Amino acid sequence: MAVAVGCPLNAHAQDANSIRGMAATCANCHGTEGRSAGTVPGLAGVDKTQIVQQMQDFKTGKRASTIMQQLARGFTDAQIEQIAAWFSAQKK
Amino acid sequence: MKINRREFVKRMSAGAAVTALAGCMSNAGRPAAGRVVVIGAGYAGATAAKYIRLWAPDIDVTLVERDAEFISCPLSNLVLGGSKTIRDMTVGYGGLAKYGVKLMRDDAVAVDPVKREVRLASGASLQYDRLVVAPGVDVQYDTLPGLASADAQSKVLHAWKAGAQTVALRKQLETMRDGGVYAVHIPKAPYRCPPGPYERACQVAHYFKTAKPKSKVLILDANEDVVSKKGLFMAAWNGPYKGIVEYRPNSELEDVDASTLTAKLQFGSVNADVLNVIPPQRAGNIALVTGLITANNRWCGVNWQTMESIKVPGVHVLGDATLSAQLMPKSGHMANQHAKVCAAAIIAMIKHEPVNQEPMMVNTCYSFIDDKNVVHVASVHAYDASEKTMLPIKGAGGLSDKANELEGTYALSWAKNIWADMLG
């Protein structure tokens, strides 16, 4: 029986899965798919450039934070772009 | 209609073309793409069940749980402090129905990894293509002969699984005379929730400070130093709780006399009015009987790209039961992250798609110093291909500067969102 049979979109699927997985690391605090039930703001449907800007401001310390600076520094700029794009595409 | 796995594989492997198509096409109106059984509906298991269905509604997921409701360990120290009740950290399992998770109130007693079958206490059995074992920890009384009997265990509580024990320990504190001593014993690391015992000491001290000001909190730590958030906890014990909390490192317990509430240490004994012993722990029993334990007779080694057992194929282990990677705590937050990596990997494996080679995980543990002020520790972890394990990312993560009320509100928001993330 064939194992790992390739679909034409496999490379793409791999990327998409890894981005979805990274975004899911945010969900415990920002809600499943970015829809928050708490006081921490949701990220679903937020403009991509806004999320990227906020993450960069956390990273550099320009925006003060309790925890986001420490978390944002765990992600590369490219990863932040991908995560932000993923959340901006989710419905609010 | 019941299809056993062999029949399922036969159908699926009728030709490679069929298998390939199964990964590419929509499965609407077709039999499930695969069957997953999840044992244990805690932070790890419930999240895995929900996320498999969220990301792949064509996969059949059955979640086996012995308890009627979820009761959170994180936050449960607040019940001891008196600012929350156990109801505040209890969530029903009803929300999982909308994802199509099949919930079975039962107890998994055995696994046959060759037949790919789980046997339940009710006598029923479940067939699986992939099994997720998320049993949490069992406490190990075997090193403490004085706690062998059920009677002794009901006098000297652990309250290291939230629920009846938490409520009973709070009762003991309420009935204790003012001027009494509450002693808590902490086992050698690794154990569930590294900052938990120190947070507990703070919560009991907070209660004493307001309700029983002549009383003391004594921490008997088997470790040589505070295991987690040392500076932040010390600041509390030398600050608001000065004169209430006493910390004694290197205080490994040799035995307990439950009738006199005596903790017997290597050098001398300690008498308490309320004695709270957190025993050493290991992966929950179903992991033991399934042969998943690979390290020190206690923990289950896993492949961190898939969370699959390094020993038993087709079985994935999550949460506190795993042999933790470097600087990875046994926490509810981490269990949630294990579950998502596992969910994605299981879906990929069932659909013959490539598994994400570079999973990432984030951890945060919030600890309440009193009823409002909170401190955190956080870390970000990524898979390292050369070390074949998850490693913390340097330069990321860290601690709170000091206890603060803003993080008190964020910690409660965290609880709301993570409970909804797993159960809602």
Side-chain angles (χ1 to χ4, degrees):
Chain A
M1 165 174 177
V3 189
V5 186
C7 300
L9 292 173
N10 258 353
H12 205 77
Q14 157 82 357
D15 274 359
N17 285 351
S18 113
I19 295 166
R20 187 186 64 185
M22 279 192 293
T25 69
C26 318
N28 334 28
C29 295
H30 288 280
T32 303
E33 295 176 334
R35 288 183 290 276
S36 177
T39 50
V40 169
L43 301 173
V46 177
D47 190 46
K48 178 189 161 188
T49 51
Q50 186 184 327
I51 297 178
V52 171
Q53 188 59 49
Q54 286 169 328
M55 289 294 276
Q56 291 303 337
D57 289 349
F58 286 135
K59 244 190 178 179
T60 59
K62 186 174 161 206
R63 175 169 166 192
S65 63
T66 58
I67 200 163
M68 279 312 299
Q69 173 172 20
Q70 296 170 5
L71 299 182
R73 287 183 177 171
F75 295 86
T76 65
D77 292 350
Q79 288 172 328
I80 287 173
E81 291 273 337
Q82 293 172 325
I83 295 170
W86 191 90
F87 277 118
S88 70
Q90 304 305 309
K91 61 174 190 292
K92 273 197 178 147
Chain B
M1 180 183 65
K2 258 185 117 177
I3 314 171
N4 67 29
R5 181 178 176 274
R6 223 166 265 146
E7 177 64 18
F8 173 80
V9 169
K10 217 159 58 196
R11 291 187 197 182
M12 291 307 286
S13 54
V18 175
T19 317
L21 284 172
C24 305
M25 284 168 50
S26 135
N27 275 60
R30 297 220 249 134
R35 281 167 309 169
V36 178
V37 173
V38 182
I39 299 174
Y43 277 94
T47 307
K50 167 175 158 176
Y51 268 78
I52 291 172
R53 294 287 307 175
L54 180 70
W55 288 339
D58 54 348
I59 293 177
D60 186 274
V61 177
T62 304
L63 176 58
V64 180
E65 168 58 44
R66 64 166 85 101
D67 292 334
E69 294 172 308
F70 168 77
I71 306 178
S72 174
C73 258
L75 248 62
S76 68
N77 280 327
L78 294 179
V79 176
L80 305 177
S83 61
K84 296 271 180 208
T85 68
I86 203 79
R87 289 309 311 167
D88 295 329
M89 49 218 64
T90 303
V91 187
Y93 286 119
L96 287 171
K98 66 175 170 289
Y99 296 94
V101 173
K102 295 174 187 160
L103 185 69
M104 276 188 92
R105 178 100 186 269
D106 211 322
D107 204 2
V109 291
V111 174
D112 183 336
V114 177
K115 283 198 197 141
R116 301 215 173 199
E117 191 174 87
V118 179
R119 230 169 2 92
L120 305 175
S122 65
S125 61
L126 296 168
Q127 309 251 296
Y128 65 82
D129 298 304
R130 296 253 146 217
L131 174 65
V132 179
V133 175
V137 295
D138 280 355
V139 295
Q140 295 180 291
Y141 283 121
D142 34 326
T143 54
L144 301 166
L147 287 183
S149 74
D151 180 55
Q153 290 169 18
S154 72
K155 290 198 176 95
V156 178
L157 302 165
H158 56 75
W160 216 236
K161 298 186 181 198
Q165 287 244 344
T166 318
V167 173
L169 181 56
R170 169 68 190 176
K171 275 232 170 70
Q172 289 184 346
L173 293 166
E174 281 173 1
T175 47
M176 191 189 88
R177 71 188 165 94
D178 189 11
V181 173
Y182 161 80
V184 56
H185 177 261
I186 306 170
K188 279 227 161 83
Y191 55 83
R192 161 179 280 182
C193 189
Y198 309 110
E199 178 193 57
R200 177 171 292 184
C202 291
Q203 283 303 311
V204 176
H206 170 68
Y207 169 57
F208 285 171
K209 197 173 171 175
T210 40
K212 302 186 180 188
K214 295 202 278 286
S215 309
K216 304 273 183 249
V217 173
L218 178 58
I219 306 171
L220 302 171
D221 195 340
N223 299 285
E224 61 193 17
D225 206 346
V226 179
V227 169
S228 176
K229 304 180 193 169
K230 179 182 172 185
L232 294 164
F233 285 122
M234 296 293 258
W237 304 335
N238 294 324
Y241 303 133
K242 197 173 171 60
I244 301 176
V245 174
E246 184 190 333
Y247 177 72
R248 288 194 204 164
N250 298 311
S251 299
E252 189 160 12
L253 203 56
E254 304 220 303
D255 203 358
V256 172
D257 185 338
S259 62
T260 56
L261 299 181
T262 306
K264 299 177 185 167
L265 309 170
Q266 197 180 356
F267 304 106
S269 311
V270 172
N271 280 305
D273 295 271
V274 173
L275 181 57
N276 175 199
V277 170
I278 303 166
Q281 297 134 40
R282 62 159 165 76
N285 201 51
I286 190 68
L288 178 73
V289 301
T290 307
L292 297 166
I293 292 183
T294 58
N296 308 324
N297 297 317
R298 291 172 74 192
W299 311 114
C300 307
V302 294
N303 169 338
W304 291 101
Q305 288 173 320
T306 58
M307 302 307 294
E308 187 169 10
S309 163
I310 58 170
K311 212 166 139 210
V312 185
V315 181
H316 302 248
V317 188
L318 307 182
D320 295 349
T322 57
L323 174 65
S324 306
Q326 196 187 322
L327 296 179
M328 180 185 277
K330 295 188 184 300
S331 71
H333 195 120
M334 199 30 104
N336 167 294
Q337 303 279 290
H338 290 177
K340 290 168 181 172
V341 168
C342 178
I346 282 181
I347 293 166
M349 289 164 119
I350 284 178
K351 301 196 169 192
H352 305 285
E353 285 170 2
V355 169
N356 179 12
Q357 300 295 297
E358 297 170 327
M360 291 188 72
M361 298 178 184
V362 168
N363 183 67
T364 301
C365 296
Y366 285 112
S367 301
F368 280 80
I369 297 300
D370 52 34
D371 55 344
K372 289 191 187 70
N373 289 281
V374 161
V375 295
H376 82 256
V377 59
S379 49
V380 184
H381 306 249
Y383 188 76
D384 184 290
S386 55
E387 300 279 329
K388 292 193 164 55
T389 185
M390 301 295 295
L391 291 180
I393 293 178
K394 292 202 181 74
L399 297 152
S400 309
D401 295 334
K402 57 178 186 350
N404 65 90
E405 288 196 18
L406 181 56
E407 287 197 272
T409 63
Y410 288 154
L412 295 176
S413 171
W414 170 88
K416 248 194 179 157
N417 271 328
I418 196 168
W419 296 341
D421 196 36
M422 61 190 282
L423 299 168

